[in-house]
Each structure stands twice: as structure tokens, then as C-alpha cells.
Amino acid sequence: MTPGRRSSTFTRLLRHGFTDPSAAERLLDGPELAPVRDDPVLLEALGATADPDLALHGLVRLLEAQPAPTAHRELLDTLIAAKPLRDRLLGVLGASSALADHLARHPSDWQALVTYEPRDLHPGLEEFERGLAEATDPVSLRVAYRRCLLSIAARDVCGTTDVADTAAELADLATATLRAALALAQAAAPDDAAACRLAVIGMGKCGGHELNYVSDVDVIFVAEAAEGTTEPKALAAAARLASHLMRICSETTVEGSIWPVDANLRPEGRNGPLVRTLSSHLAYYQRWAKTWEFQALLKARPVAGDADLGQAYVDALDPMVWKAAERENFVADVQKMRRRVVENIPAAEIERELKLGPGGLRDVEFAVQLLQLVHGRADRSLRSGTTLKALQALAAGGYVGREDAARLDEAYRFLRSMEHRIQLYRLRRTHLVPEAEADLRRLGRSLGLRTDPEAGLHREWKRHTGVVRRLHEKIFYRPLLDAVAQLAPGEARLSAEAARERLVALGYADPASALRHLEALASGVTRKAAIQRTLLPVLLGWFADSADPDAGLLNFRKVSDALGKTPWYLRLLRDEGAAAENLARVLSAGRLAPDLLMRAPEAVALLGDGDGGGLEPRERAPLEQEILAAVGRAENAEQGVTAARGVRRRELFRTAAADIVGSYGTETSAAEADQGALVDRVGAAVSDLTAATLAGTLRAVVRDGWGDTLPTRFAIIGMGRFGGHELGYGSDADVLFVHEPQDGVDEHEAAAAANKVVAEMRRLLQLPSADPPLLIDADLRPEGKSGPLVRTLKSYEAYYRRWSLVWESQALLRAEPVAGDEDIARRFIDLVEPLRYPHKGLTEDAVREIRRLKARMESERLPRGADPKLHTKLGPGGLSDVEWTVQLLQLRHGRHHPGLRTTRTREALAAAREAGLLSAEDTETLDEAWVLATRVRNAVMLVRGRAGDTFPTEPRELAAVGRYLGYGSGHAGDMLDAYRRTARRARTVVEEQFYGDGA
């Protein structure tokens, strides 16, 4: 072959999806394909397969195995001339190396794919029984089974049948195989066959008509004595037949095995007798059976042996199956079993587990079966053993939302298709998604993902498991399902006792009050009550996911009472996907957010995903613009500040709600993984809101007392956490006030005006009202509480030049203008710049003084009786430790490293790392501790409604803090241990960097 020809062929092969074009060229140039190697039809067909290299290799092997030149030519001619055969044969060869092996061993079996009649497109049990009829021993049964499997796989990979039809065909083939195996066993032991009536009951996926390519076939055996035979003798004969049937299917021969036959779902499992009489089965299920055994019987159907006996078995047990939901703790049993299945998956495999992992096939199956057992007692239309048919019936009956059912159906079909293709490759029983790139590529292409199949497969897989995970939890743990399950047959509404038990199980401490709330919300025939009845089951589940479900439900009733006559309220909760869940999270997470909401319940509109502004924090500029406009419309300062405080309350609620939702996560989005981002958002939002409120208050006071112009130019400088954009929900506003008399104004008049402004601002922001007060703290001013509240710029300059102490330089690291005259504020910052970033750094005396102040603060200010290791502000590894360490670095090195010149703790930490002043590990340790301590303080305020620096001692409050921090029920101890560990690691760094040589 010429180089040009090679290059052209090589390129074409790449374009058609071959990953080893050189090997493919050699095979195409070989003698087996010589007559057709230039036929474009062949290359196109190979390129359409899941794995063109595998398909080509399998085709060459099949051609090599042909017994004669005429057979070789017949195959090639048919392959080129008949598109149905070409698509089927190459499709199978490109998807299954195991079936390629079968064809190489049985080279004439390709002809099973030639016919294209309607009955061949959708064969049933009769067709498969005919296909296996000539089998006379286990080996020939395997060959015939593989031949039938070949036709199923061909229809599957070509898209002639969908995944549900394929699973049904596989179940029919299994049924025909069990019948053929039983016939072989009976032929080998005619005396045993004559001594008993033996029925084989299909269970699991075989019974449910939804089998995989390679799966254990679950069965139960039931027998009765033939006329004239004693029961013991008949059972012994039946056991021998059953054992022989199992060996015929399971044992490995020269043609491999078919699949294991598993009888462990029988009464007493592997410890019980293999075969029982019908009366023995009934006695066991009436007295001893566990909940999961009735769940398993959902899929029972006669598949082989004595048809009348098999049907009698199903008819006798059917009533017990549909009464299983009346058993005590039924729902809890089923849920516990599902959790146990997940817990038994090896940790290394759980992310690859297609069947049993979170969001996997078993989630769909369990959810559907649970709903069937609960509602199928009264509704016979739900009694299908096939998952997708049952899901369709549940949707038709209104037990599952149609949209939810459609999404579950789509996800289940995709995951089952993945499972089928994975197993088809080597015909091995597995539910693990492969890891090798070639396997993932083949799998993705087999599912129609041709552009970047590996990435496309991963994306679609995770999308569908995400859907299943969310919907499974919504349906499987659906609130009040347990109570519904306790209904006596025929009753139409919940019994109070059953509802009480369910509420207790969901974590409600006061079920009687909860029931009263439910009755008040959902009773009656009004449209409002009807919508509440739709919403409440879902809301109750979300409340139950919190540490205080009772508070969530009580708060929901209060909001509903306040807004019940507002037309948009219930419509918002019903129609906007995010609103109802967001509200449930907010109302059950603690006191602060509900308290803010109750003062103006219309703020619930913020929780939707429509035009209400959503939960995204607002920027400082539009906030300030809204507040100043409200102040401008007010008649006096008090009205203006009341309006400003109203905006502040609404925006505090928005910030708290966003924080709660981000921390808890929702059904459509996981909890925010970046804890630092949550802290930064809260700090920035509350700080911007405080600055805008102060700007509005300043405008209101000035306008009310002096009109448009104050006798002095006046600015407010943020200090501490305020200046650092790190305010929490309960933080005071640390500030300094600076002014400069207007031209021609006497200094005493200017000072009097400035002091009056400050006094009036403080008064108005603390007036008792429905809105939370904003406390202004000016204790960081020169001379502290002993010094004047307001100073002129010149006075600050004179003080700092002559009297400034090192702690004041440290405090000024956080100074940032927040409101008032921008020019005065800028000049103040220019004035203090040399103090906070001294040109020569700090003297050793200054460093010692800072350390001495820190030690004194730790010993004197820590509350008596507090556990220092859990004090987030003053304890070891707490906020003070991290901030003083960072600030010491800023004071010493800020002049030479511009990145350190920031008022924000986390930015300064990152800058210290960039400057080489801290290692990456130490930086991460300090940052993690600071973020965690800040999160704890925010949590305490959200939960208790008042600020605090230590973890709550009341169990429910502690659990609520834990839930906010990502810890599930019963894990408060783990949370405290994690905090101690994080703080301890940070303290080690502080000892070195602040107190030690590292400083």
C-alpha cells in the first residue's frame, strides 16, 4: 500500500471512531476482508458501532471460523447486501466480546440474525421455548441460550427494542430456560418427577419481568405430593429435582454457565428447606415472615413446573402481601433495610455503584415498592411486579406527581441501559461503572453519546443519579407515609393515633400541638385548605430534616395565618419550586430568621425564584439608594429612620435565609461546600447593609435638624468587623466619627452639631420597634470611653502624633470609610496610614506590648465558667488568636507588602502567604479556624436569636447549630470534637507565629 493510500485510510479510520487505526488497517488488508475492504458500506457500519476496533476484530474472527469458502462468501455477501443483518451483527460485535467469542465457537449462529419478520422483532416466551426446544443436555442448552441471547442483544444495540422490552425479553428467555432445565432434570429422574408436583416461582427481576443480561435468577420452590406418594417422599424428590435444575443452569461447562439460580429468598433463607409445601409456606408467612419478605413477594409469579400449583401459591400469598403495610413499623423497616444496603457497599465502590449506590436503581425500586405496598391495598391497579409499569400506575392514580414519575422513568431507563451495556460486554454480573477510558468510551458510544463519550456519559450518569436521589428521598421518606400505612382497610383519612406516631417518628416533640396546627391549616373545603393539603406532606418532611420540626410547623402556621388571605402566598409556595423548601428550611432553622419574617411576613416573596429579588445579597449602591429615597419621602427623621430600619430588617432576613438555604442545601442543589464563601457573603451583606443604614440615618438626622447642609463636614469610619466587612448577624457597628467645620463656621458650633448628629443617630437606631436595633459602638476612639465621641480631623492628627498607643495602631488596621463626607473620610485614612503600616515596622517593645495586651485580654475577658476550648472569640485557636496573628504581620510588614494593606482578615492571610510570611499549610490552618469560629457565631445567632460566642448547651439548640454546620442528627459530639481539633491546630500556629520566633 502506498504512503498516500495509508495516510488516507488511516485518517478515514480515525474519523470513523477507530482508536487503533494501524491494527484496523492490517485487519482490513488481510485475506478475510479482501473482497470487501474498499466497500464504503462496511466502514460506515463499523463506525456506527460502540467500539469499531472490537467490532472489526470480532468480524475477522467470525470469518476465520467459517467452515468452508462458500460459508465465508455467504457471510460477506449477506453482510454487504442486507442492512438489518449488518447493523445487528456488527452492533453486537462492537458491544460484546463475550458474544463475539460465542460466534467464533459457533460460526453458523450469525444466521439467527438474518430474519427480519415481525415476530422476530418482538419475540415472546413461546418463541424462546422453540429456540431452546432442541437442547438435550446442559451444554446444548447453553449454546441455544446464547443463540437466543444473541438475537435479544442485536435488537437492543440497534434500538429495535427499548430497555424495558429488552428486560422483558430477558425475563422471558430466563423463564423458557428454567422450563427447559426442569424438563432435563425430570427426564434424568423420571421417578422423582412422578412422585411430586413441583412449581418454580420467579422472584426479583425475573419475577418482575425486568431481568438484566447477567443476574442471579431468584426463585422459590413449592411442591405437593403426587397421588399415592407420601409427603416426605414427595418433598425429597422435589428437592432433588430443584437442586438438579439449579446445577444445570449454574454449573460451568465447556460452554460456560448460564446464570446462578438463587433460592435464598425462600422462608428461612439458606437455613430453610429448599422445597416446601404450600401449607408450609403459608404457615411461615403467617407467623414468622419479616417485612422485607413481603416486599420481595411483590414480584412473585409462576414461571416453570406445575402451573396450577404455582398459581395457587401466588393466590394464597397475595392477600398477605397487600396487608404488609399494616404491620407495625412497616415504613421504618423498609427504610432501615434500604440504609443497610447502602452501608454495606465498600467505600471505594460507592461512587461507581450503579445499582445500590445513592441515586441508583435500587432507590427507584424501593420507592416504588414502598408506595405500592402502602396504596396497593385499596388500589389493585398498582399491583404490578414491573417497576416502570408500577411507576406509571402510581402516577395515573395520583400517588406520585406526573412530572416526578416522568423524571424517575427517564432516569431509571438510562441507568438500566447503562447496566445492560456494562454487563453485555463480557456477560459478567456487575453493577460497577468501569474506570478504564476504553470501557467508558465504548459504554458512552453504545448509549448514543458520540461527541466526547466519556465526558458525556459521566455528565448524563450524574444528572440522572441526582434526579433519582432527590426524588427518591422526596417519595421514599415522604412524611406521613407511615401514618397512611397504619390505616385500617377502607378508612379514608388518617387516624389521630397513627398521625401522632408518625409525627413522633419524624422528630416532633409535641405531636398533639403539631396535629392541631395541621388541622387548622388543612381542614375544610376551601381552595386554600386544598393547597395546604398538597403542600404539607412535603413541608413536614423538610421540617423533619431540621433540629426543631415543631418550631418549623408552628412558624409556618403563623406565616400562613398572617398571609392566608393574600392571593399570591400559597400560589408562590405551590408553583415556584424553590419557595416552599426555602421557607421550610428558614422556619425550622432557629429563631432569628422567623422573627425577622414575622415582623413583615410579605418578605416570604424573597424565597421564590421569580421577580421578588431572590436570595442573592444586594449591592451596597442600590441598597443605599433605596434607603435614601425612603428617607427623602419621610416627613421627619424618626419616620425616615423607621423606613431605613425596615429595609435593614428585610435585607437581614434575605441574608439569613440565603445563609440557611446555602448551609442546608435543597433538593435541587447541594449545600455550599465552600464554608469560607458562606462567611464572606454574610459578612459583606451585613456590613454593606449596616453602612447603607447609617448613611440613610445620617441623611435623615441632618435634613431634620439643619436642612440640606450641616455646619460641619461629617464622616463615619467603620472599625473592627464593620471596617473588615466581617459583621455577623448580632454585631454592633464599631465606628469613629470625624468632622471638619464648614468654611466660616465656629469650631464650637461645628462640634455641637456633630455631637448632636451622633446622639440623634444612636437614639433613633435604638428606638423600640418591630425592627431590630442597630447599636453604634465608638469605644475604639482615641482615649476610649473617656475621650470625646466626635473629633475634628486636626484633633485626630494631634492625638495620633503625640499620644497614640500601639493598640490604637492595631485597631486602625480595620479603619474604612462607610458613610458621610467622602473627602474627609479619605483624608482620615491618609492620616492613619503611617500609623497602621509604620515605615520601619514595629519595635520589639511594641511587639511585646501587643503580646502582653493579648494575654491580659484572654485572662480577663473570658467569661467565668466558660469552656475556653469552645469559646469562639477568646478561646485558643479562636477569632482573637487568628486576627491578632494576622494584624501583627500587617503592622510589621504592611509597609513593604501592599497585599497586606487590607481591612479583611482572610485577604490579609492570603497576602501573608503570597509574601512568604506564612506557609501554605499554616495559612490554611488559620483560615479554616477563623471561618469555622465565624460560622459558629453566625449559627448561634440564627438559632437562638441573640449573639453568643460559645456553643449552646440546650440539646435542640446545639443540634440546630450542628445542622447548620452540616452535621446530621445525633452528631453534635462530632461537631464539638471537630471544632476542638481545628482550634487546637490553629493555636499551634499562633504559638509559633504570634508568641514565638515565627513572629
Side-chain angles (χ1 to χ4, degrees), residues 813 833-842 885-902 908 911-912 915 917:
L813 286 167
E833 201 77 354
L835 287 171
R836 56 183 182 175
Y837 307 123
H839 184 67
K840 295 182 180 179
L842 289 181
T885 301
V886 171
Q887 289 160 14
L888 182 58
L889 290 170
Q890 290 179 287
L891 287 165
R892 300 185 79 174
H893 305 286
R895 176 59 62 182
H896 306 294
H897 296 286
L900 288 171
R901 298 173 209 161
T902 174
L917 301 172

Side-chain angles (χ1 to χ4, degrees), residues 402-456:
R402 289 186 181 275
E403 184 180 339
D404 288 350
R407 293 172 70 197
L408 273 181
D409 182 284
E410 180 191 7
Y412 188 75
R413 287 174 184 271
F414 181 84
L415 296 174
R416 282 301 300 272
S417 296
M418 276 185 73
E419 182 183 43
H420 279 184
R421 299 295 200 276
I422 291 168
Q423 294 182 349
L424 181 59
Y425 176 49
R426 294 193 186 278
L427 288 181
R428 289 180 181 169
R429 181 175 181 268
T430 179
H431 308 288
L432 291 179
V433 177
E435 295 179 295
E437 185 178 328
D439 292 332
L440 291 170
R441 182 175 184 272
R442 181 190 319 104
L443 181 56
R445 283 174 59 92
S446 77
L447 295 169
L449 303 166
R450 297 303 169 99
T451 305
D452 196 1
E454 298 100 307

Side-chain angles (χ1 to χ4, degrees), residues 599-798:
R599 291 166 184 170
E602 66 276 3
V604 78
L606 299 175
L607 299 170
D609 40 20
D611 300 326
L615 295 180
E616 281 297 311
R618 297 176 67 197
E619 298 289 334
R620 160 84 182 269
L623 266 178
E624 189 167 318
Q625 187 177 4
E626 180 186 0
I627 288 175
L628 291 177
V631 167
R633 292 190 296 270
E635 294 182 3
N636 53 48
E638 187 167 325
Q639 284 187 9
V641 175
T642 297
R645 289 175 66 181
V647 173
R648 177 171 177 263
R649 176 201 31 75
R650 184 196 69 209
E651 295 304 320
L652 276 176
F653 172 73
R654 188 198 305 268
T655 303
D659 189 18
I660 290 164
V661 171
S663 299
Y664 272 57
T666 68
E667 290 190 354
T668 55
S669 60
E672 171 67 66
D674 185 350
Q675 303 289 297
L678 285 169
V679 163
D680 290 345
R681 276 203 293 272
V682 171
V686 179
S687 299
D688 284 348
L689 178 56
T690 301
T693 305
L694 289 179
T697 304
L698 177 60
R699 172 75 62 86
V701 169
V702 170
R703 195 189 65 170
D704 204 40
W706 293 271
D708 291 333
T709 306
L710 191 66
T712 187
R713 299 165 68 192
F714 184 90
I716 304 173
I717 309 297
M719 299 289 284
R721 294 187 170 280
F722 187 15
H725 297 257
E726 295 161 0
L727 284 181
Y729 299 110
S731 301
D732 297 346
D734 288 320
V735 298
L736 298 179
F737 298 109
V738 56
H739 76 107
E740 184 175 75
Q742 299 278 8
D743 291 342
V745 175
D746 176 74
E747 283 196 13
H748 293 293
E749 180 188 349
N755 276 287
K756 187 175 180 182
V757 165
V758 171
E760 188 64 0
M761 285 181 67
R762 297 177 85 172
R763 184 185 73 83
L764 292 173
L765 286 169
Q766 295 180 53
L767 278 178
S769 80
D771 300 311
L774 174 57
L775 302 179
I776 296 176
D777 186 339
D779 288 354
L780 292 174
R781 65 188 183 269
E783 302 178 74
K785 293 180 181 179
S786 304
L789 197 58
V790 186
R791 286 178 182 262
T792 63
L793 197 58
K794 286 182 179 179
S795 175
Y796 276 108
E797 183 179 7

Side-chain angles (χ1 to χ4, degrees), residues 319-366:
M320 296 189 206
V321 172
W322 300 110
K323 288 182 179 178
E326 297 169 24
R327 294 164 62 90
E328 189 177 354
N329 299 321
F330 162 73
V331 174
D333 283 350
V334 178
Q335 294 176 350
K336 196 182 302 178
M337 184 166 56
R338 172 71 190 97
R339 284 194 294 270
R340 194 157 52 241
V341 168
V342 173
E343 288 163 4
N344 288 338
I345 304 172
E349 295 181 356
I350 195 163
E351 290 301 319
R352 296 168 51 216
E353 176 59 64
L354 197 61
K355 178 180 178 181
L356 302 177
L361 293 162
R362 185 59 63 87
D363 276 355
V364 181
E365 293 158 2
F366 263 58

Side-chain angles (χ1 to χ4, degrees), residues 482-566:
D482 193 21
V484 174
Q486 301 297 329
L487 277 171
E491 281 191 355
R493 67 187 293 267
L494 296 179
S495 69
E497 183 56 34
R500 233 178 255 116
E501 288 175 3
R502 177 55 177 166
L503 288 164
V504 170
L506 282 168
Y508 288 83
D510 186 356
S513 294
L515 282 173
R516 285 196 298 274
H517 299 322
L518 291 177
E519 186 177 0
L521 289 163
S523 60
V525 293
T526 63
R527 182 174 172 276
K528 181 175 79 171
I531 296 175
Q532 288 281 22
R533 284 194 293 271
T534 302
L535 290 170
L536 277 166
V538 183
L539 288 166
L540 286 169
W542 288 324
F543 294 150
D545 192 36
S546 74
D548 196 349
D550 298 84
L553 180 55
L554 171 61
N555 289 329
F556 179 67
R557 181 179 176 185
K558 288 179 179 177
V559 173
S560 296
D561 287 348
L563 294 176
K565 294 181 181 177
T566 310

